[in-house]
Amino acid sequence: MGGGLTGPVPRDIWLLLGLILFTFSLRFFDGSAAVAALLRLTPLVWQRGFIWQLFTYPFAGSGAPNLWFVVELLIIFMFGRDVYLRLGQRGFWKVLIASGAVAAAAAVLIELVIGLAGSGPRASAFVLMQGQHMLLVILIAAFATLNSQATIYLFFVLPVRAGWFLGLEILFAFLGYLTTRDLSGFFGVCVAVGFTWTILTPGRSRPGLRELWLRLQAWWIKQRLGRMKRRRGFRVVQGEKKDSDPWVH
């Protein structure tokens, strides 16, 4: 998996592993459990404005203190080192933070839609993408994108072409959804895989993402103007250009 256990290890990879282990340990002490809870992705993002959770949740270690947690750290070490050596320090952290935040925003949106449909708070929300699980998704997707022709040994035994892991990650997430019914988490994993692939694929990322962002801004402005017009009786006057945004008076 990845480049194995030999070779140079960037300091940032040790920092990342130490951060996960530290936040993971906070959960098991009475005095620090509340701090760890504030780092996880929760409905408090929209209920109380805890926006920082969109960025901190991938680094808040989750799960039980067992052998599987150690295996997850090992996988992060293997894939993280290869991705770091390909992207450099700035590119490495940019992919982790940006992909994690976009995935969290998408998952929160799905959870809001579920809430509007009449379903109350769900304990299973965001389980599939919480903590180091999201880091695994992003790093494996990044490795698969950057080294699509390389071979990864699935379960340390079965040789699989790295590019196939983009689809396999979504398949595994779907199987997890069948168990947890965590629709928002499943959607977040899919977005993380797709977004990571997009920003690491030459010629695809910047124009498309910029256009999406501009459209989102235009939609938000129109919705805000509409609310102001209805609630405050403001009059909307069209600008000089037909395609320009209206101004409120």
Side-chain angles (χ1 to χ4, degrees), residues 36 113 171 185 198 204 210 239 242:
V113 172
L171 174 60
T198 299
R204 293 180 181 268
R210 178 174 175 80
K242 294 182 179 180

Side-chain angles (χ1 to χ4, degrees), residues 82-162:
D82 281 296
V83 173
Y84 184 94
L85 294 176
R86 287 291 302 272
L87 298 179
Q89 183 182 54
R90 182 176 180 180
F92 176 80
W93 290 107
K94 179 180 178 181
V95 168
L96 288 186
I97 295 173
S99 296
V102 170
V108 165
L109 179 61
I110 294 298
E111 200 62 27
L112 281 172
V113 172
I114 294 175
L116 293 175
S119 176
R122 302 179 308 125
S124 63
F126 314 126
V127 169
L128 293 177
M129 56 186 295
Q130 204 70 257
Q132 71 275 7
H133 302 151
M134 179 52 66
L135 291 180
L136 286 171
V137 169
I138 296 172
L139 290 174
I140 293 176
F143 182 90
T145 303
L146 296 170
N147 307 276
S148 60
Q149 301 302 318
T151 298
I152 298 177
Y153 285 88
L154 181 62
F155 305 126
F156 302 97
V157 177
L158 302 175
V160 178
R161 197 174 72 181

Side-chain angles (χ1 to χ4, degrees), residues 49-100:
F50 289 4
I51 303 298
W52 67 81
Q53 293 183 351
L54 299 175
F55 302 93
T56 59
Y57 80 97
F59 309 102
S62 64
N66 52 29
L67 180 61
W68 178 244
F69 175 74
V70 177
V71 173
E72 288 179 320
L73 293 182
L74 178 62
I75 297 174
I76 290 174
F77 171 84
M78 292 177 175
F79 284 102
R81 185 184 60 181
D82 281 296
V83 173
Y84 184 94
L85 294 176
R86 287 291 302 272
L87 298 179
Q89 183 182 54
R90 182 176 180 180
F92 176 80
W93 290 107
K94 179 180 178 181
V95 168
L96 288 186
I97 295 173
S99 296

Side-chain angles (χ1 to χ4, degrees), residues 3-237:
L5 296 174
T6 60
V9 181
R11 182 177 57 182
D12 290 60
I13 299 301
W14 293 122
L15 175 64
L16 177 61
L17 295 175
L19 180 60
I20 298 171
L21 181 59
F22 174 72
T23 55
F24 176 81
S25 302
L26 291 178
R27 298 168 46 230
F28 301 97
F29 297 94
D30 294 338
S32 57
V35 176
L38 290 175
L39 300 177
R40 295 166 58 85
L41 185 62
T42 68
L44 294 177
V45 170
W46 67 86
Q47 293 175 351
R48 299 185 61 180
F50 289 4
I51 303 298
W52 67 81
Q53 293 183 351
L54 299 175
F55 302 93
T56 59
Y57 80 97
F59 309 102
S62 64
N66 52 29
L67 180 61
W68 178 244
F69 175 74
V70 177
V71 173
E72 288 179 320
L73 293 182
L74 178 62
I75 297 174
I76 290 174
F77 171 84
M78 292 177 175
F79 284 102
R81 185 184 60 181
D82 281 296
V83 173
Y84 184 94
L85 294 176
R86 287 291 302 272
L87 298 179
Q89 183 182 54
R90 182 176 180 180
F92 176 80
W93 290 107
K94 179 180 178 181
V95 168
L96 288 186
I97 295 173
S99 296
V102 170
V108 165
L109 179 61
I110 294 298
E111 200 62 27
L112 281 172
V113 172
I114 294 175
L116 293 175
S119 176
R122 302 179 308 125
S124 63
F126 314 126
V127 169
L128 293 177
M129 56 186 295
Q130 204 70 257
Q132 71 275 7
H133 302 151
M134 179 52 66
L135 291 180
L136 286 171
V137 169
I138 296 172
L139 290 174
I140 293 176
F143 182 90
T145 303
L146 296 170
N147 307 276
S148 60
Q149 301 302 318
T151 298
I152 298 177
Y153 285 88
L154 181 62
F155 305 126
F156 302 97
V157 177
L158 302 175
V160 178
R161 197 174 72 181
W164 294 0
F165 262 73
L166 295 171
L168 287 174
E169 283 194 297
I170 296 177
L171 174 60
F172 292 154
F174 178 72
L175 296 177
Y177 162 73
L178 295 179
T179 302
T180 63
R181 297 297 179 181
D182 178 16
L183 181 61
S184 55
F186 169 66
F187 193 79
V189 170
C190 294
V191 170
V193 172
F195 186 83
T196 302
W197 176 83
T198 299
I199 61 178
L200 294 179
T201 302
R204 293 180 181 268
S205 57
R206 295 183 180 178
L209 291 176
R210 178 174 175 80
E211 182 180 357
L212 178 62
W213 174 247
L214 292 176
R215 288 183 179 180
L216 181 61
Q217 284 182 316
W219 176 85
W220 175 255
I221 291 173
K222 290 180 180 179
Q223 296 299 315
R224 185 177 180 185
L225 292 176
R227 289 195 299 269
M228 294 172 68
K229 181 180 178 180
R230 291 191 301 268
R231 297 179 181 178
R232 303 182 183 181
F234 284 10
R235 182 168 57 92
V236 178
V237 179

